[in-house]
Amino acid sequence: VFDTGSTWENTGIIRDRIGTGEIPGPRLRSTGEIVYPKGAFRDSPPVLLDALGFMKIQPPEVAEADEALAVSRKLLDARTDGIKLYAATWFPPFVDLPEAAIRAAATEAHRRQKPVFAHPTKREGLLASVRGRADILVHTTPQSGPWDETVLTAMKEGQIALIPTLKLWTYELRHERISALERFVENGISQLRMWAASGGVV
């Protein structure tokens, strides 16, 4: 099981206890805390974060390549099994992680033979993740509409893999109008279908 975002102080202990046989559980891997773009939570009201189910922690935020490198080193030095990057937020304020920051984090992770997961949110976040050398997209981008050849070609050239995330959308959007939820889910399924048909790794 690969956890793509949690409090590493807790998850690392659980991983090690399972690994020694002290408690039963799956082989657990984790990225620890997610790395966000600078200012991701600047104007987000607490009620929004509660509604989204965010953990009560202050995740690392970066804007520049050197900041991303430092955070990645800190996480990996703490023995995480990979890095998770939020390439673009989907809640206000809407901010993006620069491609240079993604690349810096990915370079350090790959140097240690660790994978890099990216939450793309939208087309720009997806392309920045691919060009920044992330290994795995943890979601499709339903709000960006159909993926065109530019996106599919970039993904294939970047040798990226995709986690479809079909179940999460229906849960997170359960309070939306049924028509909006169905349209969002169908966009995600359509993107997955296009990626699979192109020979992409799922």
Side-chain angles (χ1 to χ4, degrees):
V1 176
F2 216 122
D3 158 56
T4 58
S6 65
T7 306
W8 177 239
E9 182 180 2
N10 293 336
T11 307
I13 291 171
I14 296 170
R15 182 193 69 177
D16 293 344
R17 292 179 69 195
I18 293 172
T20 62
E22 179 186 348
I23 57 173
R27 286 184 298 159
L28 180 61
R29 303 290 180 264
S30 177
T31 64
E33 286 80 4
I34 300 170
V35 181
Y36 283 87
K38 185 81 76 177
F41 299 99
R42 181 180 61 244
D43 300 318
S44 299
V47 65
L48 172 63
L49 301 183
D50 286 343
L52 294 174
F54 276 69
M55 295 173 286
K56 302 298 189 292
I57 60 172
Q58 180 58 51
E61 297 182 16
V62 304
E64 307 293 338
D66 58 345
E67 294 174 321
L69 176 60
V71 167
S72 297
R73 284 177 174 166
K74 182 178 180 180
L75 287 166
L76 294 165
D77 286 347
R79 301 186 307 116
T80 61
D81 304 291
I83 296 292
K84 164 76 174 292
L85 305 168
Y86 225 100
T89 60
W90 62 277
F91 50 86
F94 299 103
V95 289
D96 300 339
L97 195 59
E99 182 181 322
I102 296 172
R103 184 177 296 276
T107 298
E108 182 62 19
H110 293 158
R111 186 179 70 80
R112 305 189 195 206
Q113 299 182 311
K114 304 291 185 181
V116 177
F117 298 81
H119 181 119
T121 302
K122 57 185 181 178
R123 174 190 172 92
E124 293 78 8
L126 185 157
L127 291 174
S129 298
V130 172
R131 293 168 181 160
R133 305 306 298 167
D135 302 293
I136 303 158
L137 295 176
V138 297
H139 307 294
T140 52
T141 59
Q143 56 269 66
S144 68
W147 285 346
D148 57 24
E149 281 304 314
T150 299
V151 170
L152 294 171
T153 298
M155 290 171 66
K156 283 188 283 188
E157 289 178 351
Q159 299 181 317
I160 204 154
L162 173 68
I163 298 173
T165 311
L166 299 179
K167 180 67 174 177
L168 181 64
W169 304 138
T170 57
Y171 171 77
E172 288 197 338
L173 300 175
R174 66 193 181 282
H175 299 303
E176 293 286 342
R177 292 180 182 272
I178 294 297
S179 58
L181 186 153
E182 290 178 346
R183 185 167 56 252
F184 193 93
V185 170
E186 181 51 41
N187 283 345
I189 292 172
S190 174
Q191 292 169 349
L192 171 62
R193 188 179 292 120
M194 293 175 69
W195 178 237
S198 75
V201 175
V202 178

